[in-house]
Amino acid sequence: MPDSKYFSTTNRGELFELKQLLNSQSSRSKREALKQIIASMTIGKDVSSLFTDVLNCMQTVDLELKKLVYLYLISYAKTQPDLAILAVNTFVKDASDPNPLIRTLALRTMGCIQLTRISEYLCEPLRRALKDADPYVRKTAAICVAKLYEVDPALVSEYGFISTLKELVLDSSPMVVANAIAALGEIDESLPGTLELKPNLVSGLIQCLNDCSEWGQVFIIDAVASYMPSGTEEAESIIERLLPRLYHANAAVVLSSMKVIVKNLKYVKSAEFSRMIQKKLGAPLVTLVSAEPEVQYVALRNINLLVRKYPEILQNEFKAFFCKYNDPPYIKEEKLEILVRLANDDNAPKIISECKEYASEVDVGFVRSSVQAIGRIALKIESAANNSVETLLELVRTRVVYVVQESLVVMKDIMRKYPNEFEGAIPVLCENLEALDEPNARASLVWIIGEYADRIENVVELVESFLDNFRDESIQVQQQLLTCTIKVYLKCNGSCKSSLERILNDGMKNSDNADLRERAFFYSRLLQANKEMANSVVLARKPRIVSTHEDLDESLLNTLLDEMGSLASVFHRSPHVFLASSKPLPQVSIMEDEWNEENAQVLSHDILDLSLSDKPQLGDASEASNKTSVDELFESSSGTASTKKPKEQNNDLLSLIDDLFSPAQSSSSVDHGDDLQKRMKLLLPSSKARGLEISGAFSAEQGGIQYVLKLRNESNEIIGENAIQFNKNLLGLIPARSKLDVVRINPNESVVCKVDLRYVSSEKDSRKGLLFQMALKNDVCGVIYFGDKLDESNLNIFLESESTGKLTKQAFLQEWSKIGSSDEVVKQFNVPAGVSLPNYFIEKLYPLKVFHVASSPSGQSYFSARLVGEICVLLEFRWADKDSNVQLASRCNSAKELVKLFERLIEKALGK
């Protein structure tokens, strides 16, 4: 009976019955039960409750039953890790079985389970299997090494499995060689340099292609693709030896071989040899086009890339890309694109005629693409322009609305490329005015009328027919109508003056669109100022357009050709876009270990909400029951403390001057360009950010704090739609808006943008220490994690000016007591001999925005500083007369790391 019976059961008590069958003594009953279980797994039923019963079936000599048990274990071992470990003894025993099939089965199953606890037991059987006498076991063992590396790279290094794999590359069995190359290639992605190719090895790999399976050939050819030939002769040799692979039945082998050949053509100096090889590439590509639609589409996308670089390869085979009636729409679109790229002086008439036939089909989207293709051929080949225009006019005469409208758009582009050459087409186009209902088509006809206003007899009537419903038109048409009316007025000696006045007034007074309104104002003032100048501006000669179709960047094209047969070549996107792992990328050293606490949970608001769900821990508010020296100071020494010393008065004067000339911020907080450039540091190299190099620094300007980002695009794609967000941090700073003011970053271009930061109390989290964790998102790289930190170079930016940073004595006392002695940090250091204290402290700390609060004759001085986010740092200095040793006691209502940062900064300043 066929196995389909296992998928059609409706028995409600099947799990109980299956349990009974699994515990029976009959191997046949067990097989039937396991087949039913596997079928249930396939259709999504949960049969994990049978894990123990299936496990008991492992001890059997029935190979089919053992295969079914192992298949079940692979699926459910991760959900039952504690029970799965019970199978290890059987695995190890089977790995030493005389039957190579059983040895292989045990090895493959252990490798597929990928549990660390089981992987430890895999190493010894794997070591033996890599040197097994049977090639089937060795080839399976080679793949198991790659699987083990995913789970525990350290075990692979400890047992020297990579060295053993390199030995297997020289194995006598081609299938072992192929699997060894595949495993080394997999490991090489995480550990570059693992797969080392030398001329002799490359030659040997190509030699064993004939005896490999088709997928083994793909692995080997892809490995050869990463090899750079030493010269022309070696490149020619590789190409000639791979040419027979182009006629393989498997499309993957053909595309991989094509990739290697095209890549090595760059190293060939002989133009004659290159032409000969290019002629041989055409037939295999045409063969791929006759495959099933899915394979055909992949082939066409790769051919699309190839003909951009080498159009001569298929110029004689262009008929192979004519669309068939039963081709899926996506195949037709790709074929049409390739036909346009293959068009030249000789075959253009035939391609245009074919596109004309396509324009009569029922698929509206494909009809539009066909009409556009005719126009693109006219723009590409000047000699084909007449034929294209005649064809387009024939299509216009069909009176099919969507054909007429698309033809008008295309005609506008052709008349821009070849001005004054196709004026005879204008009457035919104008006859279809009433049939136009799409903005793009109406705007195109209006442009043609304005451009050729002096050669159209009834131009005023045509313009008036549009103006009757001016307010109902789309903005695109309104803008074109405004320009068209100006052109008619200037070209036809004042004709259409009343219409011009009406449209200008309408645009200036009644339009809600800023672009239209500004254009109307501009034209109005231009005409009032100087009509001759208006002529030179409005009627200026326009540059000829080259193409209406966006093409790939040259560097991206070369990269994609090197990746033929991959997702990158199908989607025409840079390869690194598809290499993003499920986990965040490794962080740079500046992030230290604290940023490695799983970044995966940091996404929530609109684009990149990095706010975490937990509440920030506030500092403990301890009761100040015992009076400290500060209490004594404020109670007994108020007179002394209130008497300002000359230096302190000078500091107050400086503060007043700062407030006078820069009320929003202290002058020292303004970042100058040179200082900012010095502080700008590399946060993430392009190799870890999928082609985007990220540098940054904090800055303070115009009373606010910004984060200045420098982004350099080292990929081959245009990067757009950039947005940034911060995680919760010590200061509670987040971007004022997520979207960056960067429209696009071209390849090899650097841009600098400023991110305004704002304080949000709910975003404070003192547990993050001095780290600012950030994420940037764009349309090419996805989400990239990086970070910066608060340090001596940027601390001054976050400190507030004297007006808020200097606490009153009472506020200082309350905050000092509130923090408590348990969070006090004490440090001893020396000051230069002979200095006057506390004046020396006041002089040195004022530039750091650490302000003097009070002093005591008994050798005590108190200072305060305040950061963004209502964070206070309080300092107490104690010293003895004629002693250079000073004790600094620091308290902070936030993270202790901040106190240590202040201590380093102060010790450095006082030691100067």
Side-chain angles (χ1 to χ4, degrees), residues 191 217 238 264 291 373 394 399 427 457 527 609 621 623 633 643 660 678 685 703 808 823 837:
L191 189 65
Q217 292 183 45
I238 291 173
N264 280 272
E394 289 180 26
R399 302 282 181 170
E457 294 180 0
L527 289 170
D609 182 7
E623 296 293 332
L633 168 69
T643 304
L660 177 63
K678 290 178 182 177
T808 64
D823 289 328
L837 302 178

Side-chain angles (χ1 to χ4, degrees), residues 480-495:
Q480 204 59 254
L481 268 173
L482 180 57
T483 305
C484 173
T485 310
I486 292 282
K487 288 179 179 178
V488 173
Y489 174 76
L490 295 174
K491 287 186 175 184
C492 301
N493 299 322
S495 299

Side-chain angles (χ1 to χ4, degrees), residues 181-196:
I181 287 291
L184 287 171
E186 188 76 23
I187 297 172
D188 189 71
E189 292 179 4
S190 303
L191 189 65
T194 304
L195 181 59
E196 299 176 0

Side-chain angles (χ1 to χ4, degrees), residues 131-204:
K131 300 184 182 297
D132 198 282
D134 193 288
Y136 187 68
V137 178
R138 294 199 302 275
K139 85 176 186 69
T140 304
I143 295 298
C144 277
V145 173
K147 292 183 178 294
L148 178 61
Y149 187 85
E150 290 180 15
V151 180
D152 195 341
L155 280 177
V156 174
S157 300
E158 182 182 341
Y159 280 83
F161 287 146
I162 293 178
S163 300
T164 310
L165 279 180
K166 291 179 180 180
E167 294 174 7
L168 290 182
V169 171
L170 304 175
D171 197 276
S172 58
S173 171
M175 63 180 179
V176 176
V177 173
N179 281 22
I181 287 291
L184 287 171
E186 188 76 23
I187 297 172
D188 189 71
E189 292 179 4
S190 303
L191 189 65
T194 304
L195 181 59
E196 299 176 0
L197 296 178
K198 296 180 180 179
N200 291 338
L201 178 57
V202 171
S203 178

Side-chain angles (χ1 to χ4, degrees), residues 655-672:
S655 178
L656 289 172
I657 294 173
D658 286 343
D659 291 343
L660 177 63
F661 289 101
S662 181
Q665 61 181 32
S666 170
S667 60
S668 62
S669 69
V670 178
D671 266 319
H672 300 289

Side-chain angles (χ1 to χ4, degrees), residues 438-466:
E438 290 182 358
N440 204 13
R442 291 178 70 82
S444 297
L445 182 57
V446 171
W447 182 89
I448 293 171
I449 292 171
E451 196 67 17
Y452 294 91
D454 52 341
R455 302 172 199 185
I456 301 175
E457 294 180 0
N458 61 337
V459 65
V460 177
E461 295 176 13
L462 290 172
V463 173
E464 290 286 350
S465 65
F466 279 99

